[in-house]
Amino acid sequence: MMHQTLFSGNDLELDVLDGGHDVSIVTFEARDRFLTPGKEHAFGQGYGRGLFAPMGMNEFIIKKNKNIWYQTREMVTVAGIIKSKTHGQRVITYGGSMGGFAAINFAPMLNADEFVALSPLFDVAPDGVLRDQRWKVDWSETSFDYNLIRVGACRSAKGYVFFANNSPDGPHAELLAKETSATVIELDYGGHPCSFFLNDAYKLKTLVAEIAFESFDARKFRQVLEERTPLTHYPYERRSAQLEKEGADAAALEQIELAVSRKPNLARLHAKRGNLLLKKREFVDAAAAFHAAIGLEPNNSYHHVRLSYAHAGTENYAQAVHDMDAAIALAATKAEYHARRAEWLLCAELYREAAVDFQEAIRLDPKRSNHYVRLSYAYAGMKRFGEAVEAMDNAISLFPEKAEYHVRRGEWLLADQKLEAAALAMRRAIQILPTAVVAPRRLDFIESQLRQ
């Protein structure tokens, strides 16, 4: 059987696969970081499509084309269609994050028997009771006219809330426990969303099916998690982070390598391994780790940036620049990427090219004083000390009380044989920071030159 589209609107689309079963599942998509609330995109395939029909459930897939948290009049229309198709059936709503919020929020409207919500949110208002800042852009661009949880319309709604205790979702779960009739289950791992941990340690399809067919046993669930969690990467990844914070980098590396062995297809684990190897100055192995991360996530610019550090560690600046080219191709408007490429060009003594990159970084982020400082080094490398001084003037205009900026300005003036101006710059540095170490020595040298 094929899914049929029963509704297609401006905000939502409803696909249905009706197998004539006694149980129906209504799925809501999670927030898509590539979408915005105000701009429409094409509808995707939806969440959980094709997963539950083979298990004996009718599938109702609610799709969105922007991050509006299902706060649209079209949701009333979609709910009406679903109710007309599921009369007399057991109905489960299901989703994670934004989808988890919707699974709870619209459970009464859908006459749902139970909801399954993974890392759901109680409210996303940044100035609300929780002051959660994670979705303030969505909040500012969306009218939450159908926030039924907030107005107390979901207090009789039953179901399960799963959340990870190492995430900011705990306060949301506490409020959901008060404002619904949910069974709240706290997990030791997973972050936001916790769906990945649940799938690795229990299998989401199994969990949803057990709830849908009323065979879920919380005690057995806990036992399975206890047995299977050590087989996943989560405890080793967390332990590695703790050890790194404590300064035990060698032990942290051992733990992250265990994590990689449990989940070799997870790019972030390879990247974390690479960062620990960078700290140990094992640049060749670090490069291999970042290459592995790139192989899994080629469009993640961060991995290319970190690979550039590994190549720079072996003084292969040409390759480091090439790595930054790849990062910039993926995120051309990140000023720090152009600045990092310029740093590697400085190391390679390609001053003219470095100056061009620093200028681009300044264009993208003109309030970052360090870009002007480093541009001054590029000009100094070309013996263009007047322009180096101008670059430092720009940095000083942003932070006039930074003594080291006046010292650097004085150094370029000294190199340009402008001794009196250099002396004034050093005196200004000493005035700002009397305990300055370099400025008095340089001032003594300059004054000795003036006396000759």
Side-chain angles (χ1 to χ4, degrees):
M1 296 180 65
M2 301 287 290
H3 286 80
Q4 294 180 312
T5 299
L6 296 188
F7 175 84
S8 185
N10 294 322
D11 305 318
L12 303 178
E13 196 166 82
L14 173 64
D15 287 354
V16 177
L17 197 164
D18 189 348
H21 302 296
D22 295 330
V23 176
S24 289
I25 186 165
V26 182
T27 68
F28 295 88
E29 293 179 294
R31 185 182 187 276
D32 188 332
R33 64 188 179 94
F34 296 109
L35 301 184
T36 60
K39 184 178 179 182
E40 292 183 9
H41 292 71
F43 290 108
Q45 70 171 3
Y47 181 52
R49 186 185 189 92
L51 294 180
F52 304 108
M55 305 174 78
M57 289 178 255
N58 309 310
E59 294 181 0
F60 291 82
I61 312 296
I62 304 178
K63 303 183 291 184
K64 57 175 175 41
N65 59 8
K66 43 189 175 291
N67 288 329
I68 56 169
W69 294 75
Y70 299 90
Q71 298 295 299
T72 169
R73 178 69 185 173
E74 291 180 359
M75 189 59 219
V76 178
T77 302
V78 168
I81 295 171
I82 293 173
K83 284 193 294 183
S84 71
K85 298 288 184 181
T86 58
H87 181 72
Q89 298 176 7
R90 176 171 167 78
V91 177
I92 305 297
T93 58
Y94 174 48
S97 187
M98 178 191 291
F101 163 82
I104 299 172
N105 193 63
F106 296 108
M109 186 183 289
L110 291 160
N111 290 336
D113 294 272
E114 288 191 287
F115 56 76
V116 182
L118 315 176
S119 302
L121 293 313
F122 169 77
D123 189 14
V124 300
D127 58 348
V129 63
L130 297 177
R131 298 190 179 278
D132 193 330
Q133 302 294 309
R134 286 178 289 175
W135 296 278
K136 59 184 178 182
V137 172
D138 294 356
W139 174 261
S140 67
E141 298 183 27
T142 305
S143 295
F144 278 72
D145 298 328
Y146 298 91
N147 190 337
L148 306 179
I149 300 172
R150 196 175 190 180
V151 299
C154 297
R155 287 179 182 145
S156 62
K158 297 179 181 179
Y160 292 87
V161 168
F162 297 87
F163 78 99
N165 59 20
N166 64 324
S167 74
D169 298 333
H172 290 272
E174 289 180 19
L175 285 172
L176 288 169
K178 294 177 182 177
E179 293 297 325
T180 72
S181 298
T183 299
V184 177
I185 297 181
E186 182 178 352
L187 307 172
D188 292 331
Y189 299 96
H192 182 94
C194 64
S195 52
F196 297 101
F197 169 68
L198 278 172
N199 196 49
D200 286 344
Y202 197 80
K203 297 305 176 187
L204 279 173
K205 286 199 298 183
T206 300
L207 176 66
V208 174
E210 288 176 350
I211 294 172
F213 293 107
E214 302 181 86
S215 63
F216 178 70
D217 183 333
R219 181 180 174 186
K220 174 196 165 191
F221 172 79
R222 287 291 183 193
Q223 290 175 339
V224 172
L225 287 190
E226 187 175 346
E227 293 170 3
R228 292 183 182 173
T229 295
L231 304 178
T232 72
H233 66 280
Y234 295 94
Y236 311 103
E237 183 181 15
R238 181 182 294 181
R239 182 59 178 154
S240 176
Q242 292 170 341
L243 288 166
E244 186 177 7
K245 284 181 181 178
E246 296 166 6
D249 291 340
L253 180 60
E254 290 179 1
Q255 291 297 307
I256 206 65
E257 286 176 342
L258 281 171
V260 170
S261 71
R262 297 298 195 275
K263 191 82 169 181
N265 63 342
L266 189 57
R268 77 163 183 264
L269 299 179
H270 293 279
K272 288 181 177 182
R273 179 173 179 267
N275 284 329
L276 285 165
L277 288 164
L278 278 183
K279 291 177 73 172
K280 294 185 68 180
R281 302 185 65 80
E282 296 180 14
F283 300 117
V284 174
D285 288 343
F290 292 123
H291 274 300
I294 290 168
L296 293 164
E297 287 182 350
N299 294 326
N300 188 326
S301 60
Y302 173 81
H303 302 326
H304 296 277
V305 174
R306 300 307 291 169
L307 178 60
S308 82
Y309 278 83
H311 285 133
T314 60
E315 299 185 5
N316 187 351
Y317 298 116
Q319 187 59 51
V321 168
H322 179 72
D323 299 330
M324 288 310 305
D325 287 340
I328 290 169
L330 293 166
T333 59
K334 283 200 172 185
E336 62 269 29
Y337 285 9
H338 293 275
R340 177 49 50 196
R341 184 177 186 275
E343 290 291 347
W344 303 145
L345 289 165
L346 275 185
C347 292
E349 299 183 357
L350 296 171
Y351 302 115
R352 189 180 306 277
E353 294 87 344
V356 171
D357 258 333
F358 282 127
Q359 288 165 347
E360 179 63 9
I362 289 167
R363 186 187 71 79
L364 293 166
D365 187 2
K367 298 299 184 183
R368 182 74 176 269
S369 63
N370 192 56
H371 296 336
Y372 296 100
V373 175
R374 300 306 292 164
L375 175 60
S376 81
Y377 278 80
Y379 284 136
M382 292 184 279
K383 309 298 182 186
R384 291 158 56 177
F385 297 110
E387 290 167 281
V389 171
E390 289 178 13
M392 287 308 307
D393 287 340
N394 286 323
I396 290 169
S397 71
L398 292 170
F399 291 97
E401 299 303 309
K402 273 203 169 185
E404 60 265 35
Y405 285 7
H406 294 275
V407 172
R408 180 51 51 200
R409 183 175 184 274
E411 294 285 3
W412 301 147
L413 287 163
L414 176 60
D416 204 21
Q417 296 298 307
K418 294 181 178 178
L419 300 182
E420 291 184 359
L424 286 172
M426 295 301 175
R427 291 190 188 104
R428 178 61 181 142
I430 294 169
Q431 183 184 28
I432 294 169
L433 186 65
T435 58
V437 176
V438 175
R441 294 202 306 266
R442 299 306 283 160
L443 180 59
D444 288 344
F445 174 78
I446 293 166
E447 288 178 338
S448 70
Q449 294 294 304
L450 285 169
R451 290 193 295 268
Q452 291 180 5

